[in-house]
Amino acid sequence: MAIYQYIVGTFFGSLLGFVLLFTFFRDKRNAAKRKDRRGGGAVEMREQVVRSSENGGFFPDGVPDADVIVVGAGVAGAALAYTLGKDGRRVLVIERDLSEPDRIVGELLQPGGYLKLVELGLEDCVANIDAQRVLGYALFKDGKHTRLSYPLEKFHSDVAGRSFHNGRFIQRMREKATSLPNVQLEQGTVTSLLEANSTIKGVQYKTKCGEELKAYAPLTIVCDGCFSNLRRSLCEPKVDVPSYFVGLVLENCQLPFANHGHVILADPSPILFYPISSTEVRCLVDVPGQKLPSIANGEMANYLKNVVAPQVPSEIYDAFIAAVDKGNIRTMPNRSMPAAPHPTPGALLMGDAFNMRHPLTGGGMTVALSDIVVLQNLLRPLRDLNDSVSLCRYLESFYTLRKPVASTINTLAGALYKVFSASPDQARKEMRQACFDYLSLGGVFSTGPVSLLSGLNPRPLSLVLHFFAVAVYGVGRLMLPFPSLRRLLIGARLISGASGIIFPIIKAEGGSSQVRLTKGQNGQSVMEKIKLLQ
């Protein structure tokens, strides 16, 4: 039976793959033609910025306080400050709270993110914080399990995922950034962006002592996180909160698979376990919807014990109950927000202030670090940044170049969350089971999706191919040992449901490709709307 399922799934998956590849190469050929018609704009634009940046810009007293102001010193802000400082920029970082953060997310860095950390010269920031190597995932469903290893054979032995206390990691990166003499880190709350002639010239902020100050720079990069109060002037945020994470720390217990993240396909939605130190395991319970059981009156503890605990692997059941009884229960809204930039001269959004995805797959830090690598490569040829309008035109390419990594990870996170969540709909149940069985086949059927999840294969086409291969595999399972009208109808709904999951996510991600542009100081459009290519 399994062989027949394999043959049917492979046939339909191959057929679908051929159609997608044909479409992909056709679009790629058309894109190349459009690029030729634009006259190789990236090189010309870079030369224009290099020439025009020599003209300088207007700042009080004639001299800006820094080359770049970075708002926020979290993962994105601290890494960006070090990267730009290492390239010789004068960087001023303004962070609301310089004490060690205490968060229940941002604790798992995928191998693709670790490679970006190495590329930025920040790999030592995961040293000496009791970070744990992560080599893959273990997936649990209805008493069965399968292990999914990262495809790391072609990489150096040090390359793997890392899990850690988020605050320790951030403090190490802040220390690394401030080790550079041209990086200045200040504690203060940025209250507004300073604008003149439709160009951002700097920020206004309040110091720890309550003093109101202004700082000026030709480029301000906003990295103030998921609760950003500055993003609305720089993008069109459409924030969705599909669920909450309820966080616990399990102490002195051993996970069924060492050095692996654990995903339980529970009812109503997934449960995550992964180590964050040599003695602690993070548990994140996804609770769908906008309303959480009350922690104060004991509803949450009852929910965790009576609904969640029976679905936890037996090896860590006692540690889970002990963590609930200890009472240190934390919650965090799971936010998703497609990147919808509103390019503004003198400013740029990055990190969670710019783009968010469901944290189920732990891809947020990978996207942020990848974005920093892209930005570093774009800014490196520029001698100075003072011509804000030309710089804004030049940085248009940032939104194109970030697409492969960001759209792959974002789409996968949204699609997997919907597939992994329980549903009373029979077609959705079949899709969920098909996904588990498909990954359990091993070989390319597991390494392909895991390489996408890990950030090692940032190819949106591969994601779509595997997603529909899962759907077709599910239909193949329904057709054996013989089809019936009911099974045919469920199979049709399965394909329709799969399309209804992934295509809206792709559309939302692609929606950011239509960049809304600002006007130059002469009142005319300095850029045309462009459609970014995947």
Side-chain angles (χ1 to χ4, degrees):
M1 184 70 69
I3 294 175
Y4 288 135
Q5 293 174 4
Y6 174 86
I7 293 172
V8 173
T10 302
F11 172 76
F12 284 105
S14 300
L15 180 63
L16 178 64
F18 175 78
V19 173
L20 289 172
L21 284 170
F22 174 79
T23 304
F24 171 75
F25 285 114
R26 184 191 62 188
D27 292 345
K28 189 174 183 180
R29 184 172 61 251
N30 293 337
K33 291 179 180 178
R34 288 195 298 269
K35 183 176 181 180
D36 290 340
R37 288 197 295 268
R38 289 198 300 267
V43 174
E44 289 184 13
M45 187 66 71
R46 184 179 71 182
E47 292 175 353
Q48 180 182 351
V49 174
V50 170
R51 290 194 302 268
S52 62
S53 64
E54 297 172 355
N55 297 329
F58 172 78
F59 296 100
D61 301 324
V63 180
D65 299 291
D67 297 321
V68 181
I69 294 172
V70 176
V71 180
V75 171
L80 181 63
Y82 174 76
T83 301
L84 297 178
K86 189 176 63 172
D87 284 349
R89 311 283 184 189
R90 293 182 301 125
V91 183
L92 170 61
V93 189
I94 304 172
E95 164 59 36
R96 181 182 60 83
D97 186 357
L98 290 178
S99 61
E100 183 175 308
D102 183 15
R103 302 182 66 199
I104 65 172
V105 293
E107 297 173 317
L108 195 151
L109 180 66
Q110 298 288 0
Y114 180 77
L115 287 173
K116 297 300 179 183
L117 207 65
V118 172
E119 192 171 347
L120 295 171
L122 288 164
E123 67 273 19
D124 56 340
C125 292
V126 296
N128 302 318
I129 59 171
D130 201 13
Q132 303 297 298
R133 287 170 58 85
V134 179
L135 303 177
Y137 282 87
L139 198 61
F140 293 75
K141 184 180 187 297
D142 299 333
K144 298 180 180 180
H145 65 263
T146 185
R147 185 165 61 173
L148 311 171
S149 297
Y150 293 135
L152 301 174
E153 297 80 8
K154 297 180 181 180
F155 298 96
H156 186 274
S157 60
D158 186 54
V159 177
R162 294 293 193 279
S163 53
F164 39 67
H165 281 269
N166 172 268
R168 297 175 187 174
F169 179 55
I170 288 176
Q171 290 299 85
R172 285 299 306 275
M173 288 207 295
R174 289 173 178 175
E175 292 168 7
K176 183 92 171 180
T178 54
S179 69
L180 299 174
N182 51 323
V183 175
Q184 179 183 354
L185 178 59
E186 291 189 14
Q187 181 163 319
T189 301
V190 175
T191 55
S192 63
L193 301 174
L194 300 176
E195 183 177 344
N197 299 323
S198 301
T199 299
I200 302 302
K201 296 294 185 180
V203 299
Q204 180 167 316
Y205 67 103
K206 184 179 292 186
T207 67
K208 186 178 180 180
C209 301
E211 183 181 6
E212 292 276 359
L213 297 177
K214 295 179 180 180
Y216 296 89
L219 180 61
T220 298
I221 304 179
V222 176
C223 308
D224 57 345
C226 61
F227 300 106
S228 173
N229 62 346
L230 301 175
R231 66 161 65 102
R232 289 193 175 276
S233 58
L234 302 175
C235 76
E236 299 176 357
K238 296 180 180 178
V239 180
D240 181 36
V241 183
S243 64
Y244 282 76
F245 266 157
V246 178
L248 300 165
V249 174
L250 282 58
E251 298 178 337
N252 300 309
C253 69
Q254 295 295 321
L255 289 168
F257 295 92
N259 301 109
H260 282 68
H262 291 57
V263 182
I264 290 83
L265 303 190
D267 188 355
S269 51
I271 308 167
L272 305 181
F273 294 93
Y274 52 87
I276 55 174
S277 75
S278 55
T279 61
E280 297 165 299
V281 169
R282 168 66 70 196
C283 170
L284 294 174
V285 178
D286 185 85
V287 179
Q290 304 294 316
K291 187 177 180 181
L292 283 171
S294 171
I295 296 176
N297 65 14
E299 286 181 2
M300 179 65 78
N302 288 333
Y303 175 81
L304 294 173
K305 287 183 176 181
N306 298 324
V307 177
V308 177
Q311 304 181 77
V312 168
S314 58
E315 296 93 327
I316 53 177
Y317 177 87
D318 291 340
F320 179 84
I321 295 296
V324 175
D325 289 337
K326 189 174 181 180
N328 187 21
I329 301 172
R330 309 270 302 281
T331 63
M332 177 77 180
N334 292 326
R335 296 166 174 253
S336 62
M337 185 184 78
H342 175 191
T344 304
L348 194 69
L349 269 174
M350 294 193 74
D352 282 351
F354 172 52
N355 184 204
M356 294 181 282
R357 76 290 309 149
H358 195 286
L360 172 68
T361 58
M365 290 189 289
T366 300
V367 172
L369 294 170
S370 175
D371 284 354
I372 292 169
V373 170
V374 171
L375 183 63
Q376 178 191 33
N377 292 332
L378 285 172
L379 293 181
R380 186 172 279 162
L382 307 186
R383 288 190 287 273
D384 68 62
L385 311 172
N386 283 301
D387 192 323
S388 299
V389 173
S390 295
L391 178 64
C392 183
R393 295 181 64 193
Y394 173 62
L395 290 181
E396 238 183 287
S397 55
F398 169 75
Y399 304 108
T400 306
L401 296 172
R402 72 179 297 271
K403 270 286 186 180
V405 173
S407 61
T408 300
I409 292 175
N410 294 346
T411 303
L412 181 64
L416 273 187
Y417 176 69
K418 291 187 177 181
V419 171
F420 281 178
S421 296
S423 171
D425 181 73
Q426 186 61 37
R428 286 283 297 273
K429 288 181 180 179
E430 291 291 342
M431 183 69 177
R432 193 187 197 206
Q433 185 64 50
C435 187
F436 180 85
D437 291 343
Y438 182 88
L439 293 170
S440 300
L441 289 173
V444 68
F445 304 102
S446 63
T447 57
V450 172
S451 66
L452 293 164
L453 182 149
S454 63
L456 296 173
N457 178 26
R459 297 177 183 174
L461 180 64
S462 295
L463 168 59
V464 175
L465 178 62
H466 278 289
F467 188 82
F468 278 103
V470 169
V472 173
Y473 176 78
V475 173
R477 292 172 64 256
L478 285 168
M479 297 301 104
L480 298 174
F482 56 86
S484 65
L485 179 60
R486 179 176 178 274
R487 290 184 174 188
L488 285 170
L489 290 175
I490 293 175
R493 286 170 50 210
L494 192 156
I495 295 293
S496 175
S499 302
I501 288 173
I502 198 165
F503 286 135
I505 301 172
I506 292 174
K507 182 180 179 181
E509 285 296 310
S512 64
S513 65
Q514 294 294 333
V515 182
R516 188 159 66 86
L517 306 170
T518 59
K519 291 187 176 181
Q521 295 179 355
N522 62 359
Q524 295 180 345
S525 174
V526 297
M527 292 177 281
E528 297 178 355
K529 288 187 177 182
I530 61 169
K531 189 173 184 179
L532 305 183
L533 307 174
Q534 290 189 351

